Amino acid sequence: MAQYDRKTIEELIDGTIDFYKLKEMLSNFKDTDRFDKYISILQERVPWDDPILLPAGLHLYIVLKPDGKRVVKCDCGHEFCEASDNWKLHALIHVRDTEEKMVELYPKLLAPDPEWQVIREYYCPNCASQLEVEAVTPWYPILKDFEPDIDAFYNEWLKRPIPQVK
């Protein structure tokens, strides 16, 4: 099994990894400490101390608070909600639902018809980082992307207890 150093994991996170190295990583078994390296790098890059339990998307993390609650938190420190809630409902949402808003992104005749498709952009209310973009029908509900079973991930997959607040 290949072991990848910290620099390689940082390249993976930053999207600067060489294609062939990435292909090799994807094709091989995961090294046993990759998740730990990954979380360690992410933790060092944020300005707050709450332990990261899992990444929840670009700029988003599920963290453990001193009171034991698990919350969704942005790079900048903004706390959206408890991890069991849908963070998107607590974000700033820009909806491209007119031709004028669509042509900001697409050439005029290549833009989606806003009666059939809208683009929802989700932003952090504190730092304005774009967190997600969805292209959906106008009537489609705002859905939570995933509901990770953090306890099972740590206990059954990683075979260790969930980190605690120091």
Side-chain angles (χ1 to χ4, degrees):
M1 174 177 13
Q3 284 283 93
Y4 296 99
D5 63 7
R6 188 173 179 82
K7 180 180 176 296
T8 302
I9 304 302
E10 287 176 341
E11 290 172 355
L12 181 66
I13 292 169
D14 295 335
T16 59
I17 193 167
D18 173 75
F19 171 78
Y20 295 103
K21 191 182 289 185
L22 175 61
K23 185 175 182 298
E24 175 188 302
M25 287 180 85
L26 292 172
S27 301
N28 287 326
F29 289 103
K30 304 291 182 271
D31 35 321
T32 55
D33 66 342
R34 187 180 306 177
F35 182 73
D36 295 320
K37 288 177 190 169
Y38 180 56
I39 292 296
S40 171
I41 293 165
L42 295 176
Q43 194 76 59
E44 288 175 9
R45 293 180 175 194
V46 294
W48 33 266
D49 294 327
D50 296 325
I52 296 172
L53 299 175
L54 281 175
L58 291 176
H59 309 290
L60 290 176
Y61 312 91
I62 298 173
V63 304
L64 185 64
K65 298 300 294 175
D67 63 4
K69 288 184 180 175
R70 298 171 184 174
V71 301
V72 178
K73 194 168 188 172
C74 183
D75 284 335
C76 70
H78 178 76
E79 295 179 7
F80 284 87
C81 57
E82 289 196 27
S84 58
D85 196 2
N86 187 349
W87 67 266
K88 293 178 188 177
L89 299 175
H90 303 272
L92 295 178
I93 307 172
H94 177 67
V95 181
R96 295 184 187 272
D97 56 359
T98 65
E99 278 190 42
E100 294 76 29
K101 291 178 183 177
M102 290 291 191
V103 297
E104 293 174 359
L105 298 178
Y106 296 98
K108 187 160 178 69
L109 297 175
L110 297 178
D113 180 341
E115 290 186 28
W116 288 96
Q117 183 179 50
V118 298
I119 297 174
R120 294 185 195 140
E121 301 168 0
Y122 298 90
Y123 295 91
C124 175
N126 187 53
C127 68
S129 289
Q130 188 178 66
L131 304 171
E132 189 165 321
V133 177
E134 298 174 327
V136 295
T137 55
W139 52 88
Y140 196 73
I142 296 174
L143 299 178
K144 188 173 182 181
D145 293 329
F146 71 109
E147 183 83 41
D149 186 340
I150 296 169
D151 295 306
F153 176 69
Y154 274 87
N155 295 325
E156 296 171 25
W157 185 263
L158 297 176
K159 306 273 191 241
R160 64 174 179 231
I162 295 171
Q164 299 301 310
V165 178
K166 296 176 184 173

